Amino acid sequence: MIDIERIFISSSLMWDFSEEEIFDCACVNNLSGIEFWSQQIENKNLSSEKIRDLAKEFNLNLTLHAKSWDLNLASINKKVRDLSLRETLADIDLASKIGAGEITIHPGRFSVGFKEEFYYDLLRESFSAILNYSLKKKVKVSIEIMEKIKKEFIIDLYSLKKLTGSSYEDFLYTLDVAHCDNLDEIYFNLNNLKNISKVHISNRLRDKYHTELDRGMFPMEEIIEKIGEKNLPMVVEGMEIGRTTFILDRNLKFLKERKII
């Protein structure tokens, strides 16, 4: 049986719900935490103070997912890169305000066909500033390993180590099951990646990422058991816009039927 205190949900599964409703859902379903999306907090005018207070009231742990859509910490355009950095630093402030000790950050992407090292240098510069600021704010930074799609280049252990160099152990890392191509890759990362702070769990159908836990190519029950053996927190991921919880309910049903929660 998996430790129920290690299962979180992503707030993006309840995009159009209030702070109270999201916390109620986590509490009723015996979950121990929520990963809030900064973009959701901003777009839906959620209150950072209310989130912080509800987390204390419900005794739930929080992480924050930094903004990533339309941003690029490795952009060739300095104005875009600077804006992306400012937004990320502001999200570190937000993490501190809501009482989240950790922030999940997507690394930057290629812009055009320049040499790979050019983008690594830009991204190293961005992450150096992010790390320095996070240390002042006492918020840990967890870099998410991305899927292998066009323009993404922080996609595996090799590229992470190339990016971080001597700072490799200064960061935490988020492993996303749906970003892996097969079971061997998932288990290789679990066994070899240092400082994994959490694992995002969802299934996938070839090129369709973040499907429900019971709909996809991966044996999620086995994978969850392996993650549980590592005593790592898991965040159930997905996104649903509107006042429905079809995806969330299907994921919770999967977990409950297997006595994971």
Side-chain angles (χ1 to χ4, degrees), residues 3-259:
D3 182 355
I4 63 169
E5 294 186 357
R6 311 298 282 179
I7 306 291
F8 290 50
I9 57 168
S10 170
S11 69
S12 59
L13 286 161
M14 300 181 71
W15 191 265
D16 287 297
F17 288 78
S18 69
E19 304 94 333
E20 292 90 348
E21 288 170 319
I22 296 170
F23 276 96
D24 281 339
C25 175
C27 186
V28 166
N29 288 288
N30 296 317
L31 302 168
S32 73
I34 302 166
E35 179 160 82
F36 271 93
W37 278 63
S38 170
Q39 193 68 67
Q40 180 181 5
I41 293 173
E42 180 178 297
N43 284 26
K44 308 310 294 186
N45 294 314
L46 302 184
S47 165
S48 59
E49 292 79 10
K50 188 177 289 185
I51 291 171
R52 180 197 61 217
D53 293 343
L54 286 168
K56 292 179 181 177
E57 178 183 340
F58 285 93
N59 193 29
L60 291 172
N61 298 307
L62 299 180
T63 61
L64 182 73
H65 197 299
K67 296 183 185 74
S68 58
W69 302 327
D70 304 319
L71 301 177
N72 185 3
L73 290 164
S75 176
I76 191 174
N77 186 317
K78 188 175 186 301
K79 291 181 180 178
V80 172
R81 195 167 68 252
D82 289 347
L83 173 62
S84 301
L85 179 58
R86 289 198 302 272
E87 288 288 290
T88 303
L89 299 183
D91 280 346
I92 292 173
D93 288 334
L94 177 59
S96 180
K97 287 178 183 177
I98 68 172
E102 176 187 319
I103 184 167
T104 309
I105 297 177
H106 284 189
R109 307 175 301 282
F110 294 139
S111 297
V112 293
F114 284 24
K115 288 186 178 179
E116 187 177 281
E117 193 58 40
F118 173 78
Y119 292 102
Y120 271 100
D121 286 343
L122 295 179
L123 192 53
R124 288 186 191 107
E125 185 179 312
S126 292
F127 268 106
S128 176
I130 288 167
L131 180 60
N132 289 336
Y133 193 73
S134 70
L135 291 172
K136 293 178 184 177
K137 290 292 183 174
K138 298 181 180 179
V139 174
K140 295 178 180 179
V141 173
S142 187
I143 303 174
E144 183 169 349
I145 304 173
M146 302 308 295
E147 61 267 58
K148 298 168 199 66
I149 59 176
K150 187 177 181 181
K151 296 191 177 182
E152 295 288 358
F153 64 97
I154 306 303
I155 56 173
D156 54 22
L157 180 57
Y158 170 80
S159 53
L160 275 175
K161 287 187 172 181
K162 182 176 179 180
L163 169 67
T164 56
S166 61
S167 297
Y168 174 60
E169 295 193 19
D170 294 330
F171 291 98
L172 302 177
Y173 301 99
T174 297
L175 172 61
D176 191 312
V177 167
H179 291 174
C180 297
D181 287 344
N182 50 58
L183 274 178
D184 287 344
E185 183 181 352
I186 294 169
Y187 296 152
F188 175 84
N189 286 330
L190 275 175
N191 292 325
N192 292 281
L193 182 62
K194 285 190 176 182
N195 298 342
I196 299 176
S197 61
K198 63 187 175 303
V199 182
H200 286 166
I201 57 171
S202 61
N203 217 320
R204 73 177 268 192
L205 288 163
R206 293 192 177 183
D207 295 334
K208 182 175 175 58
Y209 298 91
H210 307 301
T211 58
E212 299 89 342
L213 293 169
D214 66 341
R215 188 170 70 95
M217 61 191 238
F218 290 140
M220 289 306 303
E221 184 173 1
E222 173 191 321
I223 291 169
I224 290 170
E225 288 178 358
K226 294 291 186 183
I227 299 168
E229 290 171 3
K230 298 284 187 180
N231 199 31
L232 292 169
M234 289 170 260
V235 181
V236 181
E237 273 211 317
M239 185 164 187
E240 188 160 7
I241 297 172
R243 295 285 301 175
T244 60
T245 57
F246 173 83
I247 296 172
L248 176 60
D249 291 342
R250 187 164 171 171
N251 282 326
L252 292 173
K253 180 182 179 183
F254 176 93
L255 297 171
K256 288 176 180 178
E257 286 179 345
R258 290 153 182 81
K259 300 187 181 343

